[in-house]
Amino acid sequence: MNWGAMSRAERDAAYNNTIAVKNSADLSAAREAASAAFRKAHPGHLDLRYGARERNTWDLFPAADPKAPCIVFIHGGYWQRNSKDGFANLISGLHARGWAGALPGYTLAPDATLTEIVAEINAALDWLAANGKTHGIEGKVVLSGWSAGGHLTTMCLGHSRVSAGLAISGVYELGPIRDTYLNEKLQLSDGEIETLSPMRLPMVAKPMLITYGTAELPPLVSDSRHLHAKRAAVHIPGALLPVAGANHFTIVHELRDADGALTRQALLLVD
């Protein structure tokens, strides 16, 4: 992609997954309905407050064994849409295999800067470290997320409560975003682009699986491939998994399903 030669409309389209996936509204609605059903079936530890702002809450889904691993899943939506409530079913595959699951909420842009959003996820992990045992979650944490959540996974991989990561279809270089519609709410500063772009930061020496769908938009594919290459260059463990035929909205089915490719790969992260 020759970014400098592209029009604003072409730049916008390069990151617009909703337009790129024609049935994205149906896929999102199905995910949200399944998540509502999952939360209704597991109501014991919902909306637990970790901070002062409205969205600073956790949904926790303990396993039968308190020492079981826990997947912490950070929702996507380019840091400015969606909520944890609509993604609960994505931990159901690992939950069915005996894992705990947890989903943190966070304040959306423009009500929070990206700097503040990253700080909220770290604060949520602080709370989980201090309070998870009370709610039956004591095992290793695999931090995961999709889209914006993939970026936040990478930014917070270094937290002491986190053992490994699973980054799904993330954005790891923020520079191009400033030239798109996404920046209308984010209003990224030069400093944020430098300090919140995982590609520009020292790599965290913890295992992390990086994955993307082969039918995704080019910037998401290239960001995933480049981040993996940078980690591999300094010999940090973690596979790169292209999911054949998956688009930005169907790739998460591989984590939702108990026999999905991402569910199976997550199991390997805590061996």
Side-chain angles (χ1 to χ4, degrees):
M1 297 174 67
N2 185 354
W3 197 253
M6 293 167 65
S7 67
R8 170 61 187 268
E10 289 171 328
R11 293 188 189 111
D12 286 350
Y15 283 92
N16 196 323
N17 295 293
T18 301
I19 290 177
V21 180
K22 300 307 181 185
N23 65 334
S24 60
D26 293 337
L27 291 167
S28 294
R31 186 196 69 244
E32 290 166 4
S35 294
F38 189 85
R39 294 177 88 243
K40 186 176 181 180
H42 303 86
H45 306 266
L46 303 181
D47 297 318
L48 303 173
R49 183 153 299 283
Y50 73 81
R53 304 185 81 169
E54 180 182 0
R55 287 173 171 258
N56 292 167
T57 59
W58 275 102
D59 287 349
L60 305 182
F61 303 97
D65 178 3
K67 301 290 187 182
C70 177
I71 181 165
V72 169
F73 187 86
I74 308 170
H75 75 78
Y78 279 138
W79 309 276
Q80 54 197 273
R81 295 189 300 275
N82 299 323
S83 76
K84 64 175 174 54
D85 298 11
F87 290 80
N89 79 311
L90 298 187
I91 65 100
S92 62
L94 283 165
H95 198 258
R97 285 178 171 259
W99 283 39
L103 295 94
Y106 57 90
T107 307
L108 304 179
D111 295 329
T113 65
L114 189 51
T115 299
E116 292 170 332
I117 291 170
V118 171
E120 286 187 359
I121 298 300
N122 277 314
L125 291 167
D126 288 343
W127 183 95
L128 187 66
N131 298 282
K133 185 175 181 178
T134 303
H135 298 277
I137 295 178
E138 302 179 42
K140 291 181 178 180
V141 165
V142 174
L143 186 62
S144 183
W146 164 78
S147 196
H151 165 269
L152 295 171
T153 294
T154 308
M155 289 301 304
C156 299
L157 184 65
H159 192 280
S160 60
R161 187 64 182 88
V162 175
S163 296
L166 198 176
I168 306 168
S169 306
V171 176
Y172 308 118
E173 170 54 59
L174 300 178
I177 284 178
R178 188 163 52 180
D179 300 323
T180 73
Y181 73 103
L182 296 173
N183 202 42
E184 293 169 10
K185 290 184 178 179
L186 287 170
Q187 291 294 299
L188 294 167
S189 68
D190 289 343
E192 285 180 315
I193 289 171
E194 187 66 30
T195 61
L196 301 179
S197 290
M199 280 294 298
R200 304 191 189 197
L201 301 176
M203 297 293 101
V204 175
K206 294 180 183 179
M208 184 168 72
L209 173 71
I210 299 171
T211 184
Y212 64 91
T214 62
E216 300 220 43
L217 291 169
L220 300 178
V221 172
S222 63
D223 272 20
S224 294
R225 295 178 66 86
H226 291 156
L227 181 63
H228 178 263
K230 187 168 184 180
R231 285 172 52 85
V234 290
H235 310 293
I236 299 173
L240 178 69
L241 179 62
V243 178
N247 63 45
H248 196 64
F249 293 88
T250 59
I251 188 171
V252 292
H253 297 172
E254 300 300 324
L255 185 63
R256 174 198 69 188
D257 299 339
D259 62 346
L262 299 185
T263 300
R264 288 183 273 112
Q265 288 293 318
L267 297 172
L268 303 177
L269 290 170
V270 294
D271 280 355

